[in-house]
């Protein structure tokens, strides 16, 4: 098929501006912002010295939290010249559920989203867990480097257990952050654009890299997290927008579905609209969403709506989201006409990921003095 153009207003509006200068950057804590700015400076100086590893579980359609939390940064980094590796962690689907139903359908959906967003298969890699056996070998020495107490106190895992559909907690639920360390370190990923829920996992990856190096010799770099201006977008029920929580606005939704979902979003009793993420998290998350889509300052967006109340806020958000995503949605529909091409992207990515992980595993075996 002919490849639709990858540079579009939907991506470039937010993607060509460094996070430190986006209107909503002020929502980030200063410490994170400063570290982020330093990382941006280093990337701009030497994009070839960085490799991104990040991904999304094939548990449902991607949503606005993914888009503003991680996806835009992936495309922006790719376009800066950073090698981007995107993982579809299919084995991670069964951390918190008993079946892997609709895995193929959701994987196709993620591939369509990536391509429509501008992930370019000529420069970037998309792969899935089940196609890269070396990952699981890396996990074994890594598991020996963390304590059960460390695994037990991971706040994101605790939250996921609380929202899980299972009555018991599986070993995979407790250890998937170690698998994630294997994902990142298997390809020597050193920059990880993710949402805030991933911060404890990234810390664990850094710990594993450090402990491995101390014990066996320097093999790994400690990767940096990259948070966006929207590191924790809330869903329509006021908790983290998540594929599994029936509270998300999918990127691929129609304009009407988007309007219906946003109309149902939780707000609060105060009519006057302000941007105050600490005191008014639900209203502020909606304001931020509109501001990001419009590439404007959230305080200004809130002030303009003012006494219009929640109904006017939701109309503003709906219009902003629908017009921002319209080009993306059109490209996605084009790609959906040729799933053979779409799936070939994953096959090629699996090959590349296997080569990267095998090379890292060789280094690990050598550092450990393994007999082969
Ligand atoms: P699930 O409910 O299946 O866990 P999810 O919506 O939490 O799905 P993940 O696949 O777990 O999505 O996460 C993929 C990436 O998107 C991660 O980097 C994660 O931090 C980021 N992300 C997910 N939800 C949000 C959100 N609401 N705001 C910002 N980033 C998010
Ligand atoms: Mg999740």
């Amino acid at each position: 098929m002919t490849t639709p153009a990858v540079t579009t207003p939907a991506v470039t509006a937010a993607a060509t501006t460094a996070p430190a200068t986006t209107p909503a950057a002020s929502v980030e804590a200063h410490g994170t912002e400063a570290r982020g700015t330093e990382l941006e400076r280093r990337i701009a100086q030497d994009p070839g010295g960085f490799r991104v590893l990040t991904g999304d579980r094939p548990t449902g359609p991607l949503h606005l939290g993914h888009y503003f939390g991680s996806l835009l940064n992936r495309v922006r980094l790719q376009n800066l010249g950073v090698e981007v590796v995107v993982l579809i962690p299919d084995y991670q689907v069964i951390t918190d559920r008993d079946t892997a139903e609709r895995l193929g359908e959701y994987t196709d959906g993620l591939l369509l989203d990536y391509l429509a967003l501008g992930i370019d298969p000529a420069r970037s890699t998309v792969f899935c867990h089940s196609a890269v056996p070396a990952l699981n070998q890396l996990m074994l020495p890594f598991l020996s480097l963390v304590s059960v107490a460390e695994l037990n106190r991971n706040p994101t895992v605790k939250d996921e257990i609380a929202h899980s559909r299972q009555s018991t907690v599986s070993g995979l639920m407790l250890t998937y952050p170690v698998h994630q360390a294997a994902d990142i370190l298997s390809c020597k990923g050193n920059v990880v654009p993710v949402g805030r829920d991933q911060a404890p996992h990234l810390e664990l990856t850094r710990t594993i890299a450090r402990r491995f190096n101390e014990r066996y010799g320097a093999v790994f770099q400690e990767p940096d997290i990259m948070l966006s201006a929207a590191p924790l977008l809330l869903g329509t029920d006021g908790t983290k927008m998540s594929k599994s929580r029936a509270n998300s606005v999918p990127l691929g939704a129609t304009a009407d579905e988007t309007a219906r979902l946003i109309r149902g979003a939780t707000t609060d009793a105060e009519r006057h609209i302000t941007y105050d993420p600490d005191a008014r998290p639900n209203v502020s998350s909606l304001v931020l969403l509109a501001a990001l889509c419009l590439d404007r300052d959230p305080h200004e967006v809130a002030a303009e709506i003012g006494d219009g109340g929640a109904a006017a806020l939701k109309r503003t958000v709906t219009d902003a989201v629908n017009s921002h995503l319209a080009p993306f949605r059109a490209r996605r529909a084009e790609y959906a006409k040729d799933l053979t091409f779409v799936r070939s992207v994953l096959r090629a990515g699996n090959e590349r990921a296997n080569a990267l992980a095998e090379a890292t595993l060789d280094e690990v075996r050598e550092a450990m003095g393994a007999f082969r």
Side-chain angles (χ1 to χ4, degrees), residues 61-64 234-237 241 246-266 286 289 314 317-318 321-322 329:
L62 290 180
H63 53 66
L64 288 163
L234 300 183
T236 52
D237 63 353
M241 189 178 285
N247 68 355
S248 71
V249 180
L251 298 179
T254 63
D256 285 348
E257 278 163 7
T258 303
R260 185 181 56 78
L261 291 167
I262 293 172
R263 249 195 324 274
T266 305
L286 285 169
L289 190 49
K314 289 176 181 178
V317 175
T318 300
V321 168
N322 279 336
R329 288 169 172 169

PDB file of all heavy atoms in Angstrom, residues 61-64 234-237 241 246-266 286 289 314 317-318 321-322 329:
ATOM      1  N   PRO A  61      -7.921  -0.714  23.149  1.00  0.00           N
ATOM      2  CA  PRO A  61      -7.486   0.373  22.257  1.00  0.00           C
ATOM      3  C   PRO A  61      -6.729   1.473  22.998  1.00  0.00           C
ATOM      4  O   PRO A  61      -7.047   1.791  24.152  1.00  0.00           O
ATOM      5  CB  PRO A  61      -8.797   0.914  21.693  1.00  0.00           C
ATOM      6  CG  PRO A  61      -9.900   0.291  22.435  1.00  0.00           C
ATOM      7  CD  PRO A  61      -9.376  -0.772  23.334  1.00  0.00           C
ATOM      8  N   LEU A  62      -5.734   2.032  22.337  1.00  0.00           N
ATOM      9  CA  LEU A  62      -4.967   3.135  22.937  1.00  0.00           C
ATOM     10  C   LEU A  62      -5.866   4.351  23.139  1.00  0.00           C
ATOM     11  O   LEU A  62      -6.809   4.582  22.380  1.00  0.00           O
ATOM     12  CB  LEU A  62      -3.770   3.499  22.057  1.00  0.00           C
ATOM     13  CG  LEU A  62      -2.653   2.456  22.029  1.00  0.00           C
ATOM     14  CD1 LEU A  62      -1.520   2.914  21.119  1.00  0.00           C
ATOM     15  CD2 LEU A  62      -2.108   2.186  23.424  1.00  0.00           C
ATOM     16  N   HIS A  63      -5.548   5.142  24.172  1.00  0.00           N
ATOM     17  CA  HIS A  63      -6.415   6.265  24.548  1.00  0.00           C
ATOM     18  C   HIS A  63      -5.617   7.561  24.672  1.00  0.00           C
ATOM     19  O   HIS A  63      -4.389   7.593  24.447  1.00  0.00           O
ATOM     20  CB  HIS A  63      -7.168   5.927  25.832  1.00  0.00           C
ATOM     21  CG  HIS A  63      -6.296   5.478  26.980  1.00  0.00           C
ATOM     22  ND1 HIS A  63      -5.374   6.301  27.601  1.00  0.00           N
ATOM     23  CD2 HIS A  63      -6.201   4.279  27.612  1.00  0.00           C
ATOM     24  CE1 HIS A  63      -4.784   5.646  28.574  1.00  0.00           C
ATOM     25  NE2 HIS A  63      -5.251   4.409  28.599  1.00  0.00           N
ATOM     26  N   LEU A  64      -6.324   8.607  25.077  1.00  0.00           N
ATOM     27  CA  LEU A  64      -5.688   9.931  25.154  1.00  0.00           C
ATOM     28  C   LEU A  64      -4.576   9.987  26.193  1.00  0.00           C
ATOM     29  O   LEU A  64      -3.628  10.768  26.049  1.00  0.00           O
ATOM     30  CB  LEU A  64      -6.754  10.995  25.475  1.00  0.00           C
ATOM     31  CG  LEU A  64      -7.701  11.296  24.309  1.00  0.00           C
ATOM     32  CD1 LEU A  64      -8.951  12.021  24.811  1.00  0.00           C
ATOM     33  CD2 LEU A  64      -6.991  12.149  23.255  1.00  0.00           C
ATOM     34  N   LEU A 234      -6.396  11.750  33.718  1.00  0.00           N
ATOM     35  CA  LEU A 234      -7.466  11.024  34.403  1.00  0.00           C
ATOM     36  C   LEU A 234      -8.530  10.571  33.410  1.00  0.00           C
ATOM     37  O   LEU A 234      -8.772  11.230  32.391  1.00  0.00           O
ATOM     38  CB  LEU A 234      -8.097  11.906  35.485  1.00  0.00           C
ATOM     39  CG  LEU A 234      -7.135  12.368  36.578  1.00  0.00           C
ATOM     40  CD1 LEU A 234      -7.878  13.175  37.641  1.00  0.00           C
ATOM     41  CD2 LEU A 234      -6.408  11.188  37.227  1.00  0.00           C
ATOM     42  N   GLY A 235      -9.178   9.454  33.746  1.00  0.00           N
ATOM     43  CA  GLY A 235     -10.249   8.931  32.910  1.00  0.00           C
ATOM     44  C   GLY A 235     -11.581   9.565  33.294  1.00  0.00           C
ATOM     45  O   GLY A 235     -11.648  10.419  34.185  1.00  0.00           O
ATOM     46  N   THR A 236     -12.652   9.114  32.634  1.00  0.00           N
ATOM     47  CA  THR A 236     -13.961   9.736  32.844  1.00  0.00           C
ATOM     48  C   THR A 236     -14.507   9.495  34.249  1.00  0.00           C
ATOM     49  O   THR A 236     -15.450  10.158  34.674  1.00  0.00           O
ATOM     50  CB  THR A 236     -14.968   9.202  31.802  1.00  0.00           C
ATOM     51  OG1 THR A 236     -14.920   7.770  31.832  1.00  0.00           O
ATOM     52  CG2 THR A 236     -14.629   9.683  30.408  1.00  0.00           C
ATOM     53  N   ASP A 237     -13.921   8.536  34.988  1.00  0.00           N
ATOM     54  CA  ASP A 237     -14.367   8.294  36.376  1.00  0.00           C
ATOM     55  C   ASP A 237     -13.462   8.970  37.398  1.00  0.00           C
ATOM     56  O   ASP A 237     -13.623   8.768  38.604  1.00  0.00           O
ATOM     57  CB  ASP A 237     -14.416   6.781  36.651  1.00  0.00           C
ATOM     58  CG  ASP A 237     -13.035   6.134  36.536  1.00  0.00           C
ATOM     59  OD1 ASP A 237     -12.065   6.819  36.121  1.00  0.00           O
ATOM     60  OD2 ASP A 237     -12.919   4.934  36.868  1.00  0.00           O
ATOM     61  N   MET A 241      -6.693   7.237  33.572  1.00  0.00           N
ATOM     62  CA  MET A 241      -7.287   6.700  32.345  1.00  0.00           C
ATOM     63  C   MET A 241      -6.547   5.407  31.999  1.00  0.00           C
ATOM     64  O   MET A 241      -5.321   5.401  31.894  1.00  0.00           O
ATOM     65  CB  MET A 241      -7.188   7.707  31.201  1.00  0.00           C
ATOM     66  CG  MET A 241      -7.975   7.274  29.974  1.00  0.00           C
ATOM     67  SD  MET A 241      -7.950   8.462  28.595  1.00  0.00           S
ATOM     68  CE  MET A 241      -9.059   9.737  29.153  1.00  0.00           C
ATOM     69  N   ALA A 246     -12.582   0.851  31.715  1.00  0.00           N
ATOM     70  CA  ALA A 246     -13.800   1.390  31.083  1.00  0.00           C
ATOM     71  C   ALA A 246     -13.958   2.884  31.359  1.00  0.00           C
ATOM     72  O   ALA A 246     -15.071   3.366  31.591  1.00  0.00           O
ATOM     73  CB  ALA A 246     -15.028   0.612  31.554  1.00  0.00           C
ATOM     74  N   ASN A 247     -12.868   3.617  31.380  1.00  0.00           N
ATOM     75  CA  ASN A 247     -12.937   5.047  31.683  1.00  0.00           C
ATOM     76  C   ASN A 247     -12.153   5.875  30.668  1.00  0.00           C
ATOM     77  O   ASN A 247     -11.804   7.017  30.922  1.00  0.00           O
ATOM     78  CB  ASN A 247     -12.383   5.313  33.097  1.00  0.00           C
ATOM     79  CG  ASN A 247     -10.876   5.064  33.173  1.00  0.00           C
ATOM     80  OD1 ASN A 247     -10.255   4.609  32.220  1.00  0.00           O
ATOM     81  ND2 ASN A 247     -10.290   5.384  34.307  1.00  0.00           N
ATOM     82  N   SER A 248     -11.859   5.256  29.517  1.00  0.00           N
ATOM     83  CA  SER A 248     -10.938   5.932  28.597  1.00  0.00           C
ATOM     84  C   SER A 248     -11.646   6.510  27.378  1.00  0.00           C
ATOM     85  O   SER A 248     -12.769   6.122  27.039  1.00  0.00           O
ATOM     86  CB  SER A 248      -9.844   4.959  28.148  1.00  0.00           C
ATOM     87  OG  SER A 248     -10.383   3.991  27.288  1.00  0.00           O
ATOM     88  N   VAL A 249     -10.973   7.445  26.731  1.00  0.00           N
ATOM     89  CA  VAL A 249     -11.418   7.956  25.436  1.00  0.00           C
ATOM     90  C   VAL A 249     -10.427   7.420  24.405  1.00  0.00           C
ATOM     91  O   VAL A 249      -9.290   7.899  24.304  1.00  0.00           O
ATOM     92  CB  VAL A 249     -11.424   9.503  25.420  1.00  0.00           C
ATOM     93  CG1 VAL A 249     -11.896  10.012  24.055  1.00  0.00           C
ATOM     94  CG2 VAL A 249     -12.303  10.047  26.538  1.00  0.00           C
ATOM     95  N   PRO A 250     -10.840   6.377  23.663  1.00  0.00           N
ATOM     96  CA  PRO A 250      -9.901   5.771  22.705  1.00  0.00           C
ATOM     97  C   PRO A 250      -9.550   6.732  21.576  1.00  0.00           C
ATOM     98  O   PRO A 250     -10.397   7.513  21.117  1.00  0.00           O
ATOM     99  CB  PRO A 250     -10.672   4.563  22.160  1.00  0.00           C
ATOM    100  CG  PRO A 250     -11.766   4.303  23.139  1.00  0.00           C
ATOM    101  CD  PRO A 250     -12.104   5.631  23.734  1.00  0.00           C
ATOM    102  N   LEU A 251      -8.307   6.645  21.121  1.00  0.00           N
ATOM    103  CA  LEU A 251      -7.866   7.504  20.006  1.00  0.00           C
ATOM    104  C   LEU A 251      -8.676   7.219  18.755  1.00  0.00           C
ATOM    105  O   LEU A 251      -8.971   8.117  17.977  1.00  0.00           O
ATOM    106  CB  LEU A 251      -6.386   7.262  19.706  1.00  0.00           C
ATOM    107  CG  LEU A 251      -5.411   7.581  20.828  1.00  0.00           C
ATOM    108  CD1 LEU A 251      -3.983   7.274  20.390  1.00  0.00           C
ATOM    109  CD2 LEU A 251      -5.545   9.037  21.243  1.00  0.00           C
ATOM    110  N   GLY A 252      -9.030   5.953  18.557  1.00  0.00           N
ATOM    111  CA  GLY A 252      -9.726   5.562  17.334  1.00  0.00           C
ATOM    112  C   GLY A 252     -11.234   5.705  17.421  1.00  0.00           C
ATOM    113  O   GLY A 252     -11.946   5.296  16.501  1.00  0.00           O
ATOM    114  N   ALA A 253     -11.757   6.287  18.510  1.00  0.00           N
ATOM    115  CA  ALA A 253     -13.220   6.455  18.641  1.00  0.00           C
ATOM    116  C   ALA A 253     -13.732   7.410  17.566  1.00  0.00           C
ATOM    117  O   ALA A 253     -12.982   8.239  17.044  1.00  0.00           O
ATOM    118  CB  ALA A 253     -13.551   7.003  20.031  1.00  0.00           C
ATOM    119  N   THR A 254     -15.030   7.320  17.266  1.00  0.00           N
ATOM    120  CA  THR A 254     -15.610   8.290  16.330  1.00  0.00           C
ATOM    121  C   THR A 254     -15.813   9.618  17.078  1.00  0.00           C
ATOM    122  O   THR A 254     -15.761   9.666  18.315  1.00  0.00           O
ATOM    123  CB  THR A 254     -16.988   7.822  15.826  1.00  0.00           C
ATOM    124  OG1 THR A 254     -17.864   7.763  16.957  1.00  0.00           O
ATOM    125  CG2 THR A 254     -16.903   6.458  15.153  1.00  0.00           C
ATOM    126  N   ALA A 255     -16.114  10.674  16.312  1.00  0.00           N
ATOM    127  CA  ALA A 255     -16.349  11.981  16.933  1.00  0.00           C
ATOM    128  C   ALA A 255     -17.550  11.902  17.887  1.00  0.00           C
ATOM    129  O   ALA A 255     -17.529  12.488  18.979  1.00  0.00           O
ATOM    130  CB  ALA A 255     -16.569  13.035  15.847  1.00  0.00           C
ATOM    131  N   ASP A 256     -18.595  11.156  17.486  1.00  0.00           N
ATOM    132  CA  ASP A 256     -19.786  11.055  18.337  1.00  0.00           C
ATOM    133  C   ASP A 256     -19.500  10.277  19.620  1.00  0.00           C
ATOM    134  O   ASP A 256     -19.948  10.656  20.712  1.00  0.00           O
ATOM    135  CB  ASP A 256     -20.925  10.356  17.583  1.00  0.00           C
ATOM    136  CG  ASP A 256     -21.540  11.296  16.549  1.00  0.00           C
ATOM    137  OD1 ASP A 256     -21.230  12.512  16.592  1.00  0.00           O
ATOM    138  OD2 ASP A 256     -22.306  10.804  15.698  1.00  0.00           O
ATOM    139  N   GLU A 257     -18.766   9.166  19.483  1.00  0.00           N
ATOM    140  CA  GLU A 257     -18.403   8.392  20.685  1.00  0.00           C
ATOM    141  C   GLU A 257     -17.574   9.257  21.628  1.00  0.00           C
ATOM    142  O   GLU A 257     -17.758   9.229  22.855  1.00  0.00           O
ATOM    143  CB  GLU A 257     -17.551   7.166  20.297  1.00  0.00           C
ATOM    144  CG  GLU A 257     -18.350   5.971  19.829  1.00  0.00           C
ATOM    145  CD  GLU A 257     -17.477   4.958  19.065  1.00  0.00           C
ATOM    146  OE1 GLU A 257     -16.224   5.129  19.014  1.00  0.00           O
ATOM    147  OE2 GLU A 257     -18.051   4.038  18.505  1.00  0.00           O
ATOM    148  N   THR A 258     -16.659  10.033  21.052  1.00  0.00           N
ATOM    149  CA  THR A 258     -15.809  10.902  21.864  1.00  0.00           C
ATOM    150  C   THR A 258     -16.675  11.889  22.643  1.00  0.00           C
ATOM    151  O   THR A 258     -16.477  12.090  23.852  1.00  0.00           O
ATOM    152  CB  THR A 258     -14.819  11.657  20.946  1.00  0.00           C
ATOM    153  OG1 THR A 258     -14.076  10.685  20.211  1.00  0.00           O
ATOM    154  CG2 THR A 258     -13.877  12.544  21.741  1.00  0.00           C
ATOM    155  N   ALA A 259     -17.652  12.476  21.952  1.00  0.00           N
ATOM    156  CA  ALA A 259     -18.540  13.447  22.616  1.00  0.00           C
ATOM    157  C   ALA A 259     -19.300  12.776  23.753  1.00  0.00           C
ATOM    158  O   ALA A 259     -19.404  13.314  24.859  1.00  0.00           O
ATOM    159  CB  ALA A 259     -19.516  14.025  21.593  1.00  0.00           C
ATOM    160  N   ARG A 260     -19.797  11.570  23.509  1.00  0.00           N
ATOM    161  CA  ARG A 260     -20.575  10.864  24.538  1.00  0.00           C
ATOM    162  C   ARG A 260     -19.702  10.545  25.757  1.00  0.00           C
ATOM    163  O   ARG A 260     -20.100  10.760  26.903  1.00  0.00           O
ATOM    164  CB  ARG A 260     -21.145   9.563  23.936  1.00  0.00           C
ATOM    165  CG  ARG A 260     -22.075   8.791  24.861  1.00  0.00           C
ATOM    166  CD  ARG A 260     -22.584   7.514  24.218  1.00  0.00           C
ATOM    167  NE  ARG A 260     -21.516   6.622  23.756  1.00  0.00           N
ATOM    168  CZ  ARG A 260     -20.810   5.825  24.544  1.00  0.00           C
ATOM    169  NH1 ARG A 260     -21.037   5.795  25.844  1.00  0.00           N
ATOM    170  NH2 ARG A 260     -19.865   5.043  24.052  1.00  0.00           N
ATOM    171  N   LEU A 261     -18.490  10.073  25.489  1.00  0.00           N
ATOM    172  CA  LEU A 261     -17.603   9.697  26.603  1.00  0.00           C
ATOM    173  C   LEU A 261     -17.220  10.914  27.434  1.00  0.00           C
ATOM    174  O   LEU A 261     -17.225  10.875  28.665  1.00  0.00           O
ATOM    175  CB  LEU A 261     -16.343   9.000  26.054  1.00  0.00           C
ATOM    176  CG  LEU A 261     -16.593   7.616  25.443  1.00  0.00           C
ATOM    177  CD1 LEU A 261     -15.387   7.137  24.644  1.00  0.00           C
ATOM    178  CD2 LEU A 261     -16.924   6.615  26.558  1.00  0.00           C
ATOM    179  N   ILE A 262     -16.906  12.011  26.761  1.00  0.00           N
ATOM    180  CA  ILE A 262     -16.487  13.212  27.501  1.00  0.00           C
ATOM    181  C   ILE A 262     -17.670  13.816  28.264  1.00  0.00           C
ATOM    182  O   ILE A 262     -17.520  14.293  29.385  1.00  0.00           O
ATOM    183  CB  ILE A 262     -15.799  14.228  26.553  1.00  0.00           C
ATOM    184  CG1 ILE A 262     -14.469  13.635  26.074  1.00  0.00           C
ATOM    185  CG2 ILE A 262     -15.582  15.580  27.243  1.00  0.00           C
ATOM    186  CD1 ILE A 262     -13.751  14.415  25.005  1.00  0.00           C
ATOM    187  N   ARG A 263     -18.870  13.721  27.692  1.00  0.00           N
ATOM    188  CA  ARG A 263     -20.067  14.208  28.403  1.00  0.00           C
ATOM    189  C   ARG A 263     -20.253  13.475  29.731  1.00  0.00           C
ATOM    190  O   ARG A 263     -20.727  14.043  30.715  1.00  0.00           O
ATOM    191  CB  ARG A 263     -21.325  14.000  27.543  1.00  0.00           C
ATOM    192  CG  ARG A 263     -21.917  15.296  27.039  1.00  0.00           C
ATOM    193  CD  ARG A 263     -23.336  15.180  26.506  1.00  0.00           C
ATOM    194  NE  ARG A 263     -23.673  13.957  25.807  1.00  0.00           N
ATOM    195  CZ  ARG A 263     -23.460  13.731  24.503  1.00  0.00           C
ATOM    196  NH1 ARG A 263     -22.921  14.675  23.755  1.00  0.00           N
ATOM    197  NH2 ARG A 263     -23.796  12.583  23.941  1.00  0.00           N
ATOM    198  N   GLY A 264     -19.845  12.219  29.773  1.00  0.00           N
ATOM    199  CA  GLY A 264     -20.023  11.422  30.993  1.00  0.00           C
ATOM    200  C   GLY A 264     -18.900  11.585  32.006  1.00  0.00           C
ATOM    201  O   GLY A 264     -18.900  10.905  33.045  1.00  0.00           O
ATOM    202  N   ALA A 265     -17.943  12.454  31.733  1.00  0.00           N
ATOM    203  CA  ALA A 265     -16.783  12.569  32.636  1.00  0.00           C
ATOM    204  C   ALA A 265     -17.182  13.212  33.965  1.00  0.00           C
ATOM    205  O   ALA A 265     -18.002  14.132  34.012  1.00  0.00           O
ATOM    206  CB  ALA A 265     -15.683  13.391  31.969  1.00  0.00           C
ATOM    207  N   THR A 266     -16.568  12.714  35.037  1.00  0.00           N
ATOM    208  CA  THR A 266     -16.798  13.259  36.380  1.00  0.00           C
ATOM    209  C   THR A 266     -16.195  14.658  36.474  1.00  0.00           C
ATOM    210  O   THR A 266     -15.055  14.873  36.055  1.00  0.00           O
ATOM    211  CB  THR A 266     -16.078  12.357  37.416  1.00  0.00           C
ATOM    212  OG1 THR A 266     -16.527  11.040  37.219  1.00  0.00           O
ATOM    213  CG2 THR A 266     -16.348  12.802  38.842  1.00  0.00           C
ATOM    214  N   LEU A 286      -9.480  17.684  32.493  1.00  0.00           N
ATOM    215  CA  LEU A 286     -10.211  18.029  31.261  1.00  0.00           C
ATOM    216  C   LEU A 286      -9.649  19.312  30.642  1.00  0.00           C
ATOM    217  O   LEU A 286      -9.464  19.401  29.422  1.00  0.00           O
ATOM    218  CB  LEU A 286     -11.703  18.195  31.565  1.00  0.00           C
ATOM    219  CG  LEU A 286     -12.494  16.902  31.805  1.00  0.00           C
ATOM    220  CD1 LEU A 286     -13.885  17.210  32.347  1.00  0.00           C
ATOM    221  CD2 LEU A 286     -12.585  16.073  30.521  1.00  0.00           C
ATOM    222  N   LEU A 289      -6.430  18.560  28.958  1.00  0.00           N
ATOM    223  CA  LEU A 289      -6.657  17.843  27.703  1.00  0.00           C
ATOM    224  C   LEU A 289      -6.969  18.826  26.567  1.00  0.00           C
ATOM    225  O   LEU A 289      -6.390  18.752  25.479  1.00  0.00           O
ATOM    226  CB  LEU A 289      -7.825  16.875  27.925  1.00  0.00           C
ATOM    227  CG  LEU A 289      -8.139  15.853  26.873  1.00  0.00           C
ATOM    228  CD1 LEU A 289      -6.893  15.114  26.445  1.00  0.00           C
ATOM    229  CD2 LEU A 289      -9.177  14.865  27.441  1.00  0.00           C
ATOM    230  N   LYS A 314     -16.845  20.686  28.746  1.00  0.00           N
ATOM    231  CA  LYS A 314     -16.891  19.420  28.003  1.00  0.00           C
ATOM    232  C   LYS A 314     -17.059  19.659  26.497  1.00  0.00           C
ATOM    233  O   LYS A 314     -16.507  18.920  25.685  1.00  0.00           O
ATOM    234  CB  LYS A 314     -18.005  18.530  28.551  1.00  0.00           C
ATOM    235  CG  LYS A 314     -17.663  17.989  29.939  1.00  0.00           C
ATOM    236  CD  LYS A 314     -18.802  17.184  30.519  1.00  0.00           C
ATOM    237  CE  LYS A 314     -18.418  16.687  31.918  1.00  0.00           C
ATOM    238  NZ  LYS A 314     -19.519  15.926  32.536  1.00  0.00           N
ATOM    239  N   VAL A 317     -13.613  20.637  25.290  1.00  0.00           N
ATOM    240  CA  VAL A 317     -12.715  19.467  25.237  1.00  0.00           C
ATOM    241  C   VAL A 317     -13.072  18.591  24.033  1.00  0.00           C
ATOM    242  O   VAL A 317     -12.192  18.172  23.262  1.00  0.00           O
ATOM    243  CB  VAL A 317     -12.798  18.634  26.546  1.00  0.00           C
ATOM    244  CG1 VAL A 317     -11.969  17.365  26.439  1.00  0.00           C
ATOM    245  CG2 VAL A 317     -12.337  19.471  27.739  1.00  0.00           C
ATOM    246  N   THR A 318     -14.366  18.337  23.851  1.00  0.00           N
ATOM    247  CA  THR A 318     -14.801  17.461  22.757  1.00  0.00           C
ATOM    248  C   THR A 318     -14.365  18.034  21.403  1.00  0.00           C
ATOM    249  O   THR A 318     -13.782  17.315  20.570  1.00  0.00           O
ATOM    250  CB  THR A 318     -16.342  17.312  22.785  1.00  0.00           C
ATOM    251  OG1 THR A 318     -16.696  16.740  24.035  1.00  0.00           O
ATOM    252  CG2 THR A 318     -16.826  16.412  21.665  1.00  0.00           C
ATOM    253  N   VAL A 321     -10.505  17.803  21.062  1.00  0.00           N
ATOM    254  CA  VAL A 321     -10.021  16.425  20.841  1.00  0.00           C
ATOM    255  C   VAL A 321     -10.374  15.983  19.421  1.00  0.00           C
ATOM    256  O   VAL A 321      -9.527  15.457  18.685  1.00  0.00           O
ATOM    257  CB  VAL A 321     -10.623  15.448  21.887  1.00  0.00           C
ATOM    258  CG1 VAL A 321     -10.375  13.994  21.488  1.00  0.00           C
ATOM    259  CG2 VAL A 321     -10.051  15.722  23.274  1.00  0.00           C
ATOM    260  N   ASN A 322     -11.625  16.213  19.032  1.00  0.00           N
ATOM    261  CA  ASN A 322     -12.053  15.725  17.714  1.00  0.00           C
ATOM    262  C   ASN A 322     -11.292  16.404  16.580  1.00  0.00           C
ATOM    263  O   ASN A 322     -10.892  15.743  15.621  1.00  0.00           O
ATOM    264  CB  ASN A 322     -13.563  15.898  17.531  1.00  0.00           C
ATOM    265  CG  ASN A 322     -14.329  14.773  18.224  1.00  0.00           C
ATOM    266  OD1 ASN A 322     -13.783  13.685  18.440  1.00  0.00           O
ATOM    267  ND2 ASN A 322     -15.571  15.036  18.587  1.00  0.00           N
ATOM    268  N   ARG A 329      -7.111  10.006  12.793  1.00  0.00           N
ATOM    269  CA  ARG A 329      -8.176   9.020  12.580  1.00  0.00           C
ATOM    270  C   ARG A 329      -8.314   8.686  11.088  1.00  0.00           C
ATOM    271  O   ARG A 329      -8.564   7.532  10.731  1.00  0.00           O
ATOM    272  CB  ARG A 329      -9.488   9.539  13.170  1.00  0.00           C
ATOM    273  CG  ARG A 329      -9.462   9.504  14.697  1.00  0.00           C
ATOM    274  CD  ARG A 329     -10.613  10.234  15.342  1.00  0.00           C
ATOM    275  NE  ARG A 329     -10.656  10.013  16.787  1.00  0.00           N
ATOM    276  CZ  ARG A 329     -11.429  10.693  17.635  1.00  0.00           C
ATOM    277  NH1 ARG A 329     -12.231  11.653  17.181  1.00  0.00           N
ATOM    278  NH2 ARG A 329     -11.413  10.425  18.914  1.00  0.00           N
TER     279      ARG A 329
END
